[in-house]
Amino acid sequence: MATQLIFAIFNALSMGMAIFMVAAGITLIFGLLKILNMAQGAFFMIGAYIAFSLIDHQQLSLLAFIGVALLAGLGVAVLGLLTDRLILSRLRHVDYHYMLIATFALMMVCQGAVKLIWGVNFFSVMPPLVLDQPLQIGTLFLSRYSLFVIAAGLVIYVILEVAIHRLWLGKLMQSLASNPWMSGLLGINVSLGLTFSVMFAFFLAGLAGGLMLPLQSLSPQLGDAYLLYGFFAIIIGGLGNVRGALLGSILLGLVNSLNTILLPEWPGIAIYVVLAVFLFFRPEGLFPSLASQPQSAGEQGSSAMVGNKAHRPAWMVAGALVVVLAASLPLWANGGLLYVAGSAIVYGLFALSWNILFGYTGLASFGHSAFFAIGAYFTGVLLRDWPQIPFLLVLLGCAVFGAVVACLVGALALRRLAGIFLAVLTIALAEVTRLLISYSDFLGREDGLVGIPRPKLAWLGFDLDSSAAYYWFLLAAVVLLVAVLWWVLHGRFGRLLLITRQDPERAAFLGVNVTRVRTASFMLSGAVAAVAGGLYAPWARIVTLEQVSFLASTQPVLNAMLGGVHSFWGPMVGAVIFAVLEYGTRTFVGLSEIMVGALLLLIILAAPNGVVGLWRAWASRARTYRATHRPRETEPESGEPLRESR
């Protein structure tokens, strides 16, 4: 028993230090720039791939291996310089939600680039010669390489602790973080200091990737788990606190080790339980940071979504024409085009559900695919095992199920009105959903649900088994739901959402329960996303873990941003555009992720209001031009003064 306990503690320290190496860079950037870098795990992965390319299946000495890891860190630091110049420096003074989305998009670009350069195969690297054999202490065998990882994590912590709290450089960085305006007034090059901080954080990510390369197989998904655990560590330890990141990482390692011993049939689940407990009872973490958290869109005074009544008739006419065209597709389109169109309709509704949170309420969810998957699996199971249940009742169950889960998540994340907690918790929700599905034989584990039958509307005498019949039902259902959402969001509830986004403090002063309104918005968003998943399952006839992946969570974000988050119709427009682009690049491995991420970055940097915003800006300029260049009447013979023609 004592041997097992020692081994569990050793594994906990090893995993904890591995998590800390990633969390250190995340917490460093957040402490200085208030950026929750979603791409840190991807750059950790790139560091590992750079080290793999340099090692090339050789078994190096310890010094040579450390040198390779340092070179990997320097290579990633150069990428950090480019990232800061091209992306981060341009977004430092905008709503932090856009920064979250930008780094999320950057993560997708990195994953796609890795697939294109190194492929999708798994690789492994031998540890250095001196660390290859286990260390025997009596009857206990310990991994020398795990001891090396523990030592490396402690060295990195000591360096950071001394640099931040003892050296003049750390004091300088703290002054930049606390008051950049005053630092610039005193003659400090603020831009250079912040760029150096970003490069050092990226260097830590690349160094960690190189040092931990022999611990796991190398694949394009390597950074995902470390990114999640790194987020969890800084949430538990305290945002922007290096000591908290260390203790949070060790705590996660210990919890995971105990989970392996006590609940071997549920690996990894205990970490999410601990995260939920901390978010509910101590959301500020073990060591609350003195630095203020970034404000939400409403708190920064960003413009709320305002409907343009002058454009409503035009949009309604255009929408009616699009619906008529879509309804005619089964009469002339082939099966492939019909499937793409049906999927675009569902994903448009999915994007609209996400935009209820972001566009109307000022909250960003990065795990929204969890609600989509809940509805898809719920519908797939009922259609497979209980086909006698009316399908409309099944869709209603999807809405209720999604709303209940959203209410529980909102109770954890929204009680302190911190959008960063919501971002992390929704990512955790998607990962928990994926884990639970992968453990369940009933839900098909990794294979998912296949051969899902299409429903029958017995009370109407309709059989939706054919693709054309279900497509028409799908189109009618989405049009009806969109009409209901338009009515809801343009009524009193929509105005409450907009006022809480614009100025939550003033809204609370006027008697609005901001937490309740935001929770209601989250519940509505989760319910609509689950219904979208419920409609998708019979259409695709297969539901897999891909519906809960990072790429699946990116899709509603991209569709909404592409069309325009400040327009009700923007997500639907974006879904149609993206469906065309995705269909054209579906056969290229890695290109889909690069396209998604690059398009998101382009939208955020160049056109944050999306296609609809560009159209409105062009229409406004055209009206202004016509108003200022009206033709004038010629001078009359009677000598009357010139008058502008009306």
Side-chain angles (χ1 to χ4, degrees):
M1 183 64 183
T3 301
Q4 189 178 18
L5 180 61
I6 294 174
F7 192 71
I9 295 175
F10 176 77
N11 287 337
L13 289 175
S14 176
M15 180 181 178
M17 288 304 173
I19 295 172
F20 172 71
M21 289 188 192
V22 178
I26 298 175
T27 197
L28 184 65
I29 289 185
F30 184 87
L32 293 171
L33 304 180
K34 304 300 174 290
I35 299 172
L36 193 63
N37 184 16
M38 309 285 286
Q40 191 78 2
F43 285 101
F44 164 84
M45 171 188 63
I46 291 177
Y49 270 101
I50 292 175
F52 167 75
S53 300
L54 294 174
I55 293 174
D56 193 21
H57 298 291
Q58 303 177 62
Q59 192 169 22
L60 305 178
S61 65
L62 180 59
L63 289 179
F65 178 77
I66 295 175
V68 167
L70 290 172
L71 288 176
L74 290 175
V76 175
V78 173
L79 295 178
L81 174 62
L82 295 175
T83 300
D84 182 70
R85 293 302 185 189
L86 297 177
I87 300 173
L88 301 184
S89 62
R90 300 170 184 265
L91 298 175
R92 281 176 186 152
H93 303 293
V94 302
D95 180 357
Y96 79 95
H97 285 113
Y98 285 93
M99 184 69 81
L100 285 173
I101 296 171
T103 56
F104 196 74
L106 184 61
M107 177 191 71
M108 302 305 303
V109 172
C110 292
Q111 289 183 340
V114 164
K115 290 180 180 179
L116 286 178
I117 297 172
W118 286 282
V120 296
N121 295 327
F122 287 80
F123 302 101
S124 60
V125 170
M126 296 291 291
L129 290 170
V130 70
L131 304 177
D132 196 14
Q133 299 299 321
L135 175 66
Q136 182 177 1
I137 303 176
T139 59
L140 186 64
F141 290 88
L142 300 177
S143 169
R144 293 178 186 267
Y145 195 81
S146 295
L147 285 171
F148 169 74
V149 170
I150 294 173
L154 290 174
V155 169
I156 291 175
Y157 168 72
V158 170
I159 291 175
L160 289 176
E161 188 69 19
V162 172
I164 292 175
H165 298 287
R166 297 290 186 270
L167 300 182
W168 66 270
L169 183 62
K171 303 294 184 182
L172 179 63
M173 293 299 104
Q174 290 184 56
S175 66
L176 290 178
S178 60
N179 197 328
W181 179 81
M182 183 61 70
S183 300
L185 196 63
L186 295 175
I188 300 174
N189 192 328
V190 176
S191 178
L192 181 63
L194 296 179
T195 299
F196 174 79
S197 302
V198 171
M199 291 181 65
F200 185 67
F202 277 62
F203 169 80
L204 289 177
L207 176 65
L211 290 176
M212 291 189 287
L213 179 57
L215 279 181
Q216 62 274 305
S217 297
L218 191 57
S219 72
Q221 289 76 39
L222 174 63
D224 293 350
Y226 283 102
L227 174 69
L228 287 174
Y229 291 159
F231 282 162
F232 299 166
I234 66 172
I235 290 293
I236 292 173
L239 295 172
N241 191 296
V242 176
R243 298 173 188 174
L246 176 68
L247 290 180
S249 300
I250 293 175
L251 177 61
L252 289 179
L254 182 60
V255 169
N256 186 73
S257 185
L258 292 175
N259 190 167
T260 304
I261 296 173
L262 301 177
L263 294 171
E265 68 277 8
W266 297 91
I269 199 68
I271 287 179
Y272 299 94
V273 175
V274 171
L275 175 69
V277 170
F278 266 90
L279 284 174
F280 190 80
F281 292 105
R282 195 175 177 83
E284 68 275 10
L286 295 172
F287 296 94
S289 175
L290 297 178
S292 60
Q293 295 181 10
Q295 293 178 321
S296 67
E299 292 164 338
Q300 288 181 318
S302 66
S303 60
M305 182 184 301
V306 179
N308 193 329
K309 294 183 179 180
H311 291 145
R312 284 183 186 176
W315 278 109
M316 290 180 179
V317 171
L321 292 176
V322 169
V323 170
V324 171
L325 176 62
S328 69
L329 278 177
L331 303 178
W332 54 269
N334 58 37
L337 182 59
L338 187 64
Y339 178 79
V340 171
S343 300
I345 291 170
V346 172
Y347 287 128
L349 181 64
F350 185 28
L352 187 58
S353 74
W354 182 85
N355 204 43
I356 294 172
L357 276 181
F358 186 74
Y360 280 87
T361 321
L363 303 172
S365 168
F366 292 92
H368 218 57
S369 61
F371 299 104
F372 187 89
I374 285 171
Y377 273 92
F378 181 81
T379 301
V381 168
L382 291 183
L383 289 178
R384 181 192 65 184
D385 299 336
W386 294 281
Q388 67 274 15
I389 299 178
F391 186 57
L392 296 183
L393 188 60
V394 172
L395 293 179
L396 179 60
C398 289
V400 173
F401 199 178
V404 169
V405 174
C407 182
L408 295 176
V409 176
L412 291 176
L414 300 177
R415 59 194 296 263
R416 298 300 178 96
L417 305 181
I420 287 178
F421 292 152
L422 178 64
V424 173
L425 192 59
T426 51
I427 293 173
L429 172 64
E431 184 63 15
V432 167
T433 304
R434 188 191 67 80
L435 284 175
L436 293 177
I437 294 171
S438 67
Y439 297 156
S440 173
D441 293 323
F442 183 68
L443 297 178
R445 290 185 176 267
E446 300 289 339
D447 297 328
L449 300 178
V450 296
I452 299 172
R454 286 188 175 141
K456 294 179 175 59
L457 301 181
W459 57 286
L460 290 177
F462 291 152
D463 188 349
L464 304 180
D465 188 60
S466 68
S467 296
Y470 189 77
Y471 173 83
W472 278 318
F473 169 79
L474 184 65
L475 179 63
V478 171
V479 168
L480 180 60
L481 285 171
V482 169
V484 171
L485 287 175
W486 191 92
W487 177 74
V488 170
L489 295 176
H490 286 78
R492 181 177 181 275
F493 181 68
R495 290 192 292 273
L496 284 176
L497 296 183
L498 291 177
I499 193 175
T500 56
R501 174 191 169 109
Q502 270 190 305
D503 197 334
E505 292 183 359
R506 181 175 296 179
F509 179 77
L510 293 175
V512 177
N513 190 324
V514 175
T515 303
R516 184 177 299 171
V517 169
R518 288 181 169 178
T519 303
S521 171
F522 200 27
M523 292 175 65
L524 177 62
S525 176
V528 176
V531 171
L535 291 170
Y536 175 80
W539 176 243
R541 310 194 77 162
I542 181 173
V543 181
T544 66
L545 290 178
E546 290 184 1
Q547 270 70 50
V548 210
S549 64
F550 269 134
L551 186 60
S553 288
T554 308
Q555 198 157 35
V557 181
L558 173 63
N559 290 339
M561 296 293 295
L562 178 59
V565 295
H566 295 297
S567 166
F568 176 84
W569 303 106
M572 307 295 292
V573 174
V576 173
I577 297 174
F578 180 69
V580 175
L581 295 175
E582 188 179 38
Y583 185 74
T585 60
R586 66 193 184 281
T587 59
F588 299 95
V589 176
L591 190 59
S592 177
E593 289 92 336
I594 292 179
M595 183 192 69
V596 171
L599 195 54
L600 255 178
L601 286 174
L602 181 63
I603 292 167
I604 292 172
L605 294 173
N609 290 325
V611 173
V612 174
L614 289 177
W615 167 259
R616 287 178 174 174
W618 178 84
S620 177
R621 286 195 296 268
R623 287 196 305 271
T624 302
Y625 179 83
R626 288 194 299 268
T628 56
H629 293 78
R630 289 178 178 174
R632 295 177 178 270
E633 295 179 353
T634 58
E635 185 175 352
E637 294 182 359
S638 60
E640 294 180 359
L642 293 175
R643 294 176 301 170
E644 287 187 358
S645 60
R646 295 186 179 274

